[in-house]
Amino acid sequence: MIRGLVIASLFAAAPALAQTCDTVGDGVLFCPDDTPFAGIAGDYDPGMGVTFYQADTVMLLTGPLPPFAYDVWVATPGDLSGAAETFPAQESVGIMDRPSVLGGDIPAETLTYMVQPDMISLVTVIDLSGIPHLAQTVEGGTQMTDKHMEYHRAALLALVEDDL
């Protein structure tokens, strides 16, 4: 009897352990559990084709790199190395390695730039499911903060390819 209750409680608890994910592109999920973005509903913008998330003072936008951006940011789909050199309105560029805990050699380029005079942004263009994908975090200020870098890295870790 007790063993049956324990097993039943494990099955009842299983959905609570399941990770919550949003589809943010063809074959790409954003699974923010255990990140600063956990429990925050995304707001999809069909005009831009990206989903926005706001966690504390950091805003994230993520989705497939828009087709018009290939002419400006990258020469061809998959040419991520050109992103940092061609991104518009950049103040400075810094490459941040994608955390190796994600496994595999997934190409990515990250750069820092000023969105407006009082907003700083980290932008990563990453190849997910064979499509260049954008992850951009924005925070007020003129200097990159440790918190901003931590939130950006957490967002990158939450982007996963959907194997289904």
Side-chain angles (χ1 to χ4, degrees):
M1 172 87 174
I2 293 175
R3 190 171 86 182
L5 289 174
V6 170
I7 292 172
S9 69
L10 287 175
F11 282 118
L17 299 175
Q19 193 159 29
T20 305
C21 300
D22 292 336
T23 299
V24 293
D26 288 341
V28 180
L29 300 174
F30 182 62
C31 303
D33 290 359
D34 301 323
T35 76
F37 300 97
I40 297 172
D43 184 20
Y44 180 72
D45 182 324
M48 293 181 62
V50 296
T51 303
F52 290 85
Y53 297 87
Q54 181 75 40
D56 196 15
T57 59
V58 177
M59 180 182 66
L60 164 69
L61 58 106
T62 187
L65 195 63
F68 66 81
Y70 294 133
D71 295 336
V72 178
W73 295 342
V74 291
T76 60
D79 180 14
L80 302 179
S81 64
E85 296 172 6
T86 60
F87 197 87
Q90 67 191 38
E91 289 287 325
S92 62
V93 174
I95 304 301
M96 182 172 78
D97 292 333
R98 183 168 170 124
S100 59
V101 295
L102 297 174
D105 294 326
I106 301 173
E109 292 283 340
T110 300
L111 57 100
T112 306
Y113 81 105
M114 298 298 293
V115 181
Q116 297 171 354
D118 59 348
M119 297 185 85
I120 194 160
S121 179
L122 278 172
V123 177
T124 297
V125 179
I126 186 164
D127 188 358
L128 292 172
S129 296
I131 299 169
H133 197 88
L134 175 74
Q136 178 176 357
T137 50
V138 183
E139 185 176 34
T142 58
Q143 298 293 318
M144 184 58 58
T145 65
D146 289 340
K147 175 180 141 185
H148 188 159
M149 288 188 286
E150 176 188 325
Y151 279 40
H152 189 82
R153 187 172 292 276
L156 289 178
L157 287 169
L159 287 169
V160 295
E161 293 178 315
D162 186 4
D163 294 333
L164 300 176

